[in-house]
């Protein structure tokens, strides 16, 4: 009977999956594709002469100041052609010390005067680099934001003063090729770079300052831009790529095709409501997060604004009603309540202006940490940033609902029950395969709803990525992402912000900390962080904490399951996701469900054991699941045999099991579900 039911379930899911696959295929064929900027897929930056200014270009003033004959440094650098000290150093034939010695000797032979080349190359070039590097680094960020790859051809300049010249962010380049160690010829360097990028020569653009190097790239079929003057080079780069590479704001990109909005109508609206009349036209970029509400960066004169526009059709996971007016009024109330949120400026519910309702708010300057390990901060600072995150969450949960007029938020009834029902329906609508852990969770969660201790404003998706921090101190300047806000159980927010502690660091959908040494990183554990929050609100963490964690991971699994479908529909979400990601998160959720089952099992009285239905295996196996009643009633003992945990032998079964695996007694409908390692032998 059980096997027949399983077969029917699989058949129904298979038929449903086939139907949805056809629908998604049709949607993908008709949906607009992501733009490929012309023919280019990657841009290569030379370090020397591009990110690091060429020495001969900055030597004239230094030579005059030091009474060194003009042109001495340039002649010394170029002396010997391909066997010059700089060429030999870049090929790895000279160490930094040997290079400085030979360059100094060359300068002495030319000018008959001792030249402090170490001082020149360190002080002067580094000062000049700080003018040029930010401009080119900003271009690299813009290029990556548009979906192109970036590569760095590094010359490994290091003059023995404790590090390299370039203080670059590790994530600025997809590929770094060290010219000193990896190849001798210039064309070999470019071939290696193309191989690592996975692109063809005609799909790649090279920025360099050396004519021989650019000629070598051109011979391979790569397009080139010579960098003599950075501003002129950036203009030429923009012409090649077809999008701006200056004025970058983090996490933004050019507006996607099909998501454009009429600039003239927006400019007229802003001029009317803000009483400002800038001379130039407004500029638009789009934020790269994947929400149902489209977010745009608007440069209006000298002001940077954020426009949030409602999208059709609305997201089925969002609370009912227009999302944009709801979020606008919520942000306005939260600002008056002292919760750090962006400053809202105007709401337009007239769909004739931009097609759907929208609101405008100020861009909150600050820092968003998408890496939960906070590696950009010093080790001694990281715990304070987590403490600030717990502090602002406590502030959200302490908002007076009636005083701030937030009673209109949805949340009547059992919040968690409503959430489980909503997310389960969403999962059924987007599921593409049978995930056993999700099937078990869908049965288990409704049977273990906790009694809510208090009802507060709930953010709904509280995590590090939705916080804007002060650049220099542990202070949250604004909380973003209020799409799922409602009235509900505050521990759902706390559990949501603890998920990163249990996800892998290189998880494609969302980075985590599960294999990190938190002590070495200076980060709090999940228990320590949750205690920071609980001390702020004056509550103890609930006994059923594992339920909250299981519920949080269940929601994330549903969101990841729906992500590939949204990508196929032409609405790409940030962070690649795969069916394996969904399965991993679902298994994490079920692991917490198991822990909750153990907690309940161990808390039962030993004299009158109250037991629960348990599934003792993770997948489909040959044995039916045992079901145990949660009511204390007497069941006559009937000697039977059941398998031990390893399934190697049979031992007497306890009196509360029945041979059919069904609950004995009249209360068999009042059951809960847990998983333990074996039906009759629970162990921690």
């Amino acid at each position: 009977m059980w096997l027949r039911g399983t077969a029917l379930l699989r058949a129904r899911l298979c038929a449903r999956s086939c139907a949805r696959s056809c629908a998604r295929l049709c949607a993908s064929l008709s949906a607009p594709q992501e733009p490929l900027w012309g023919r280019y897929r990657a841009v290569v930056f030379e370090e020397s002469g591009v990110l690091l200014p060429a020495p001969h270009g900055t030597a004239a003033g230094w030579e005059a100041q030091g009474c060194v004959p003009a042109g001495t440094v340039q002649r010394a650098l170029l002396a010997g052609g391909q066997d010059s000290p700089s060429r030999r150093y870049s090929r790895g034939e000279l160490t930094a010390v040997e290079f400085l010695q030979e360059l100094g000797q060359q300068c002495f032979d030319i000018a008959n005067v001792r030249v402090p080349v170490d001082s020149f190359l360190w002080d002067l070039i580094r000062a000049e680099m700080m003018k040029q590097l930010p401009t080119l680094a900003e271009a690299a960020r813009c290029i990556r934001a548009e979906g192109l790859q970036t590569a760095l051809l590094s010359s490994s300049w290091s003059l023995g003063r404790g590090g390299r010249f370039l203080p670059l962010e590790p994530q600025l380049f997809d590929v770094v090729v060290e010219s000193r160690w990896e190849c001798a010829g210039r064309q070999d360097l470019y071939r290696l770079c193309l191989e690592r990028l996975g692109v063809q020569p005609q799909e790649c653009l090279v920025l360099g300052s050396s004519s021989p190097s650019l000629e070598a790239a051109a011979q391979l079929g790569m397009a080139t831009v010579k960098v003599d003057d950075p501003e002129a080079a950036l203009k030429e780069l923009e012409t090649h790529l077809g999008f701006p590479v200056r004025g970058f704001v983090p996490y933004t990109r050019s507006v996607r095709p099909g998501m454009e909005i009429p600039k003239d109508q927006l400019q007229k609206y802003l001029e009317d409501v803000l009483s400002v009349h800038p001379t130039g036209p407004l500029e638009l970029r789009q934020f790269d997060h994947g929400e149902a509400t489209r977010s745009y960066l608007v440069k209006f004169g000298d002001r940077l604004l954020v426009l949030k526009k409602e999208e059709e059709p609305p997201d089925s996971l969002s609370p009912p009603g227009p999302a944009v007016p709801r979020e606008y009024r919520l942000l306005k109330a939260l600002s008056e309540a002292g919760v750090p949120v962006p400053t809202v400026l105007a709401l337009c519910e007239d769909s004739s202006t931009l097609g759907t309702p929208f609101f405008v708010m100020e861009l909150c300057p600050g820092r968003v940490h998408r890496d939960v390990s906070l590696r950009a901060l010093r080790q001694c600072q990281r715990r304070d940033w987590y403490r600030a995150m717990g502090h602002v969450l406590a502030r959200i949960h302490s908002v007076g609902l009636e005083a701030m007029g937030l009673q209109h938020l949805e949340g009547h009834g059992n919040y968690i029950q409503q959430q489980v029902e909503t997310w389960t329906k969403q999962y059924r609508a987007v599921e593409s395969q049978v995930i056993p852990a999700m099937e078990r969770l869908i049965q288990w969660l409704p049977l273990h709803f906790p009694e809510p201790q208090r009802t507060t404003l709930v953010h709904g998706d509280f995590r590090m990525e939705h916080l804007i921090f002060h650049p220099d101190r542990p202070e949250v300047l604004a909380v973003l992402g209020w799409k799922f806000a409602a009235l509900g159980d505050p521990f759902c927010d706390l559990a949501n912000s603890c998920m990163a502690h249990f996800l892998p660091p290189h998880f494609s959908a969302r980075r985590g900390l599960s294999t990190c040494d938190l002590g070495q990183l200076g980060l709090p554990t999940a228990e320590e962080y949750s205690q920071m929050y609980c001390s702020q609100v004056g509550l103890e963490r609930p006994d059923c904490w594992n339920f909250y964690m299981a519920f949080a991971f269940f929601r994330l699994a549903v969101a990841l399951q729906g992500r590939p479908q949204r990508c196929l529909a032409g609405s790409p979400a940030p962070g690649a996701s795969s069916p394996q990601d969904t399965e991993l998160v679902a298994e994490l959720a079920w692991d917490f469900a198991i822990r909750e089952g153990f907690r309940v099992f161990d808390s039962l009285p030993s004299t009158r054991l109250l037991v629960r239905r348990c599934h003792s295996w993770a997948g489909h196996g040959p044995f039916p699941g045992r079901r145990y009643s949660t009511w204390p009633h007497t069941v006559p003992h009937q000697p039977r045999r059941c398998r031990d945990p390893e399934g190697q032998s049979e031992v007497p079964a306890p009196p509360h099991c029945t041979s059919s695996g069904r609950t004995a007694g009249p209360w068999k409908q009042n059951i809960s579900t847990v998983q333990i390692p074996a039906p009759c032998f629970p162990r921690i």
Side-chain angles (χ1 to χ4, degrees):
M1 187 69 179
W2 176 81
L3 293 174
R4 184 184 304 170
T6 302
L8 289 175
L9 174 63
R10 286 189 168 184
R12 286 198 302 268
L13 290 175
C14 182
R16 189 186 308 170
S17 176
C18 292
R20 289 192 181 118
S21 298
C22 293
R24 288 196 303 273
L25 178 60
C26 294
S28 66
L29 293 175
S30 61
Q33 300 298 313
E34 279 291 277
L36 183 62
W37 296 110
R39 59 190 177 95
Y40 300 111
R41 295 175 54 198
V43 178
V44 177
F45 290 77
E46 294 266 9
E47 181 180 71
S48 180
V50 178
L51 298 176
L52 181 67
H56 55 78
T58 59
W62 182 84
E63 290 171 335
Q65 184 178 3
C67 298
V68 177
T72 298
V73 174
Q74 181 175 357
R75 291 172 59 189
L77 287 168
L78 299 178
Q82 292 299 318
D83 291 326
S84 66
S86 59
R87 292 287 184 185
R88 293 166 60 199
Y89 175 66
S90 67
R91 295 196 297 262
E93 298 172 6
L94 297 177
T95 66
V97 174
E98 292 170 340
F99 164 68
L100 292 174
Q101 289 175 345
E102 290 205 15
L103 182 61
Q105 185 61 47
Q106 291 279 5
C107 290
F108 182 80
D109 294 342
I110 293 171
N112 198 27
V113 62
R114 189 169 300 280
V115 178
V117 291
D118 186 358
S119 170
F120 164 72
L121 290 174
W122 183 265
D123 298 329
L124 181 60
I125 298 179
R126 189 171 180 85
E128 290 296 321
M129 179 198 69
M130 298 313 294
K131 301 176 184 176
Q132 182 166 327
L133 176 62
T135 303
L136 273 300
E138 181 183 59
R141 292 188 186 94
C142 285
I143 290 168
R144 293 204 61 188
E146 299 298 338
L148 280 71
Q149 297 185 82
T150 56
L152 172 66
L153 290 186
S154 171
S155 55
S156 301
W157 280 92
S158 175
L159 302 181
R161 292 198 181 188
R164 296 166 48 84
F165 274 122
L166 294 178
L168 293 173
E169 303 171 23
Q171 66 273 20
L172 198 58
F173 298 99
D174 298 285
V175 169
V176 176
V177 177
E178 296 280 357
S179 60
R180 287 187 62 196
W181 310 113
E182 309 215 47
C183 299
R186 210 63 189 173
Q187 283 196 352
D188 292 336
L189 276 176
Y190 290 126
R191 288 192 185 97
L192 180 60
C193 191
L194 291 170
E195 179 183 341
R196 293 184 179 177
L197 288 168
V199 299
Q200 298 299 316
Q202 63 272 17
E203 298 173 323
C204 194
L205 183 63
V206 178
L207 275 72
S209 63
S210 167
S211 296
S213 295
L214 295 178
E215 289 174 5
Q219 289 172 3
L220 292 175
M222 305 167 77
T224 62
V225 173
K226 188 168 184 181
V227 182
D228 289 327
D229 175 62
E231 287 298 320
L234 290 178
K235 290 181 180 179
E236 185 177 352
L237 179 63
E238 290 175 341
T239 301
H240 277 279
L241 297 178
F243 59 82
V245 295
R246 287 168 286 189
F248 177 70
V249 175
Y251 315 122
T252 66
R253 51 161 294 165
S254 297
V255 178
R256 298 175 177 88
M259 296 188 180
E260 300 90 350
I261 57 178
K263 292 184 179 180
D264 294 340
Q265 292 177 233
L266 176 59
Q267 178 150 355
K268 183 178 183 304
Y269 172 82
L270 293 176
E271 289 176 354
D272 292 340
V273 298
L274 301 180
S275 300
V276 177
H277 300 276
T279 55
L282 61 78
E283 299 176 15
L284 277 177
R285 290 181 66 82
Q286 191 170 11
F287 286 94
D288 61 3
H289 51 65
E291 292 185 357
T293 304
R294 300 180 187 178
S295 300
Y296 299 84
L297 175 72
V298 183
K299 186 177 181 183
F300 184 64
D302 58 353
R303 301 179 68 175
L304 290 178
L305 309 174
V306 176
L307 182 146
K308 299 201 74 172
K309 180 178 180 290
E310 202 157 301
E311 184 175 353
E312 296 291 347
D315 191 345
S316 61
L317 291 173
S318 299
V324 160
R326 178 180 182 274
E327 184 173 355
Y328 172 84
R329 296 184 179 100
L330 175 60
L331 290 175
K332 197 172 183 64
L334 290 173
S335 179
E336 295 172 358
V339 176
V341 292
T343 303
V344 292
L345 300 175
L347 168 67
C348 179
E349 299 185 78
D350 183 2
S351 298
S352 64
T353 305
L354 297 182
T356 57
F358 66 92
F359 71 87
V360 180
M361 58 186 175
E362 296 279 3
L363 176 70
C364 181
R367 193 169 188 175
V368 177
H369 295 280
R370 290 192 170 181
D371 183 358
V372 290
S373 65
L374 301 180
R375 296 182 186 273
L377 302 175
R378 295 195 300 271
Q379 180 189 28
C380 61
Q381 296 177 316
R382 295 167 185 162
R383 182 176 289 266
D384 292 335
W385 260 249
Y386 270 86
R387 184 175 289 107
M389 182 167 70
H391 176 71
V392 78
L393 182 59
R395 289 179 63 181
I396 293 171
H397 294 161
S398 63
V399 170
L401 303 179
E402 294 185 5
M404 300 314 303
L406 296 176
Q407 304 94 322
H408 67 281
L409 290 175
E410 293 74 21
H412 302 293
N414 190 313
Y415 169 76
I416 295 180
Q417 178 180 347
Q418 293 174 348
Q419 286 284 297
V420 169
E421 292 173 355
T422 299
W423 287 89
T424 299
K425 290 177 182 177
Q426 175 66 10
Y427 176 74
R428 292 304 187 200
V430 298
E431 68 177 320
S432 56
Q433 60 180 352
V434 178
I435 302 178
M438 290 298 285
E439 298 302 323
R440 294 193 295 272
L441 286 164
I442 289 172
Q443 296 180 35
W444 184 88
L445 288 168
L447 300 171
H448 291 77
F449 292 146
E451 288 294 331
Q453 298 185 25
R454 56 198 289 247
T455 298
T456 69
L457 172 66
V458 174
H459 180 277
D461 193 16
F462 188 84
R463 50 192 165 100
M464 182 76 75
E465 291 182 51
H466 284 158
L467 305 180
I468 300 178
F469 284 90
H470 190 281
D472 304 317
R473 61 176 183 265
E475 177 187 351
V476 177
L477 301 180
V479 182
L480 309 176
W482 292 92
K483 163 178 157 180
F484 297 112
L487 303 183
D489 192 329
F491 285 112
C492 293
D493 274 348
L494 181 61
N496 198 83
S497 62
C498 287
M499 282 195 297
H501 283 81
F502 306 96
L503 290 170
H506 302 294
F507 188 51
S508 59
R510 189 182 297 180
R511 295 182 183 179
L513 300 166
S514 63
T515 60
C516 297
D517 186 335
L518 300 183
Q520 184 179 10
L521 289 173
L523 298 174
T525 64
E527 292 74 15
E528 291 170 338
Y529 164 70
S530 58
Q531 186 55 46
M532 292 176 186
Y533 164 84
C534 290
S535 62
Q536 290 281 342
V537 297
L539 293 175
E540 293 293 331
R541 202 172 70 170
D543 292 336
C544 56
W545 174 247
N546 289 316
F547 171 88
Y548 289 97
M549 292 302 304
F551 170 59
F553 278 109
F554 170 73
R555 292 202 326 166
L556 178 58
V558 177
L560 295 180
Q561 180 74 1
R563 189 168 284 177
Q565 282 78 5
R566 291 199 297 273
C567 291
L568 284 174
S571 176
S577 147
S578 67
Q580 291 74 25
D581 293 338
T582 306
E583 292 184 33
L584 184 149
V585 173
E587 291 297 338
L588 283 172
W590 184 244
D591 181 62
F592 279 102
I594 294 172
R595 299 185 200 182
E596 175 64 8
F598 278 131
R599 184 193 68 80
V600 174
F601 193 93
D602 291 340
S603 67
L604 299 177
S606 58
T607 56
R608 300 180 68 184
L609 187 62
L610 306 181
V611 291
R612 298 187 174 198
R613 181 180 101 187
C614 10
H615 294 293
S616 57
W617 51 85
H620 301 288
F623 305 109
R626 305 290 203 268
R627 300 188 183 187
Y628 305 105
S629 170
T630 60
W631 292 83
H633 59 280
T634 303
V635 181
H637 174 58
Q638 298 178 2
R640 286 181 325 285
R641 317 291 292 181
C642 70
R643 294 281 182 182
D644 69 359
E646 284 73 29
Q648 301 299 322
S649 62
E650 293 189 347
V651 294
H656 48 267
C657 294
T658 64
S659 59
S660 66
R662 300 281 181 173
T663 305
W667 310 104
K668 61 183 179 181
Q669 299 303 321
N670 299 297
I671 56 176
S672 299
T673 310
V674 297
Q675 179 187 15
I676 58 176
C680 305
F681 299 90
R683 63 191 178 199
I684 302 299

